[in-house]
Amino acid sequence: MLSFSHTIISLPFGFAFTNVFVIFLGAFLMHLVSDMFLHWNIYPHHFKRYPFFLVSLDVVSGLVASYIILDNSLFAIPILVAIAGGNAPDILHAAWSFMGKNRQKRSPKSIQAIFHFHEIIQRETPSPLVGGLWQIVFCSIAIILTLSLR
């Protein structure tokens, strides 16, 4: 799922809870749940080199959209923690992929299992139209929740 979507989906957690650990964990777990629904993504393995520009555009667009929705409330600690939690699984997975296959294989089995779990729960489709539909649904719900909790 796009970082844009994970960012928007994480916003309600910053308003629904006061404890930053609960906010982070809730947004983190929601990331995993949303990955289980059909979605489209930027697929780095489809590029000769890692698509840093497209990924950056994805991340920045999620932050800009969040600012449009929240204005300066975006900079409140609970909201920033929610965004961090909502994107943490993909940030960690990107760091994992940059390690290379040999280092991954030498990692503890429990760490390998965590990243394998994140890979197998993905319900990705190559169709931006089909995969984007679910992301629009989730983002719309999250925006409604965010505005009602604000």
Side-chain angles (χ1 to χ4, degrees):
M1 188 168 281
L2 293 170
S3 174
F4 176 96
S5 299
H6 285 306
T7 297
I8 300 301
I9 292 167
S10 68
L11 295 178
F13 290 91
F15 290 106
F17 304 103
T18 56
N19 184 306
V20 292
F21 298 108
V22 172
I23 293 168
F24 186 90
L25 182 61
F28 188 99
L29 293 174
M30 188 61 194
H31 174 113
L32 299 176
V33 169
S34 60
D35 275 349
M36 293 178 192
F37 287 83
L38 194 61
H39 62 276
W40 178 82
N41 204 357
I42 297 168
Y43 303 103
H45 61 277
H46 290 172
F47 295 85
K48 288 183 181 180
R49 295 189 317 184
Y50 193 84
F52 286 106
F53 176 76
L54 290 176
V55 171
S56 299
L57 186 63
D58 179 24
V59 170
V60 169
S61 66
L63 294 172
V64 169
S66 297
Y67 183 76
I68 291 168
I69 295 164
L70 298 176
D71 199 22
N72 286 332
S73 297
L74 170 67
F75 303 109
I77 296 298
I79 302 302
L80 295 174
V81 169
I83 292 170
N87 284 282
D90 285 344
I91 293 168
L92 293 170
H93 211 114
W96 171 257
S97 67
F98 286 132
M99 285 177 55
K101 297 291 181 198
N102 288 334
R103 287 184 75 190
Q104 289 174 1
K105 288 177 184 175
R106 292 193 311 262
S107 296
K109 296 290 182 199
S110 57
I111 301 296
Q112 292 179 42
I114 290 168
F115 288 107
H116 179 68
F117 172 76
H118 189 227
E119 288 173 6
I120 63 170
I121 64 169
Q122 301 293 323
R123 293 238 9 249
E124 296 177 332
T125 176
S127 169
L129 184 62
V130 174
L133 179 63
W134 280 107
Q135 291 179 84
I136 290 168
V137 168
F138 274 111
C139 287
S140 298
I141 293 167
I143 291 168
I144 292 167
L145 283 172
T146 298
L147 294 176
S148 67
L149 292 170
R150 188 168 179 209

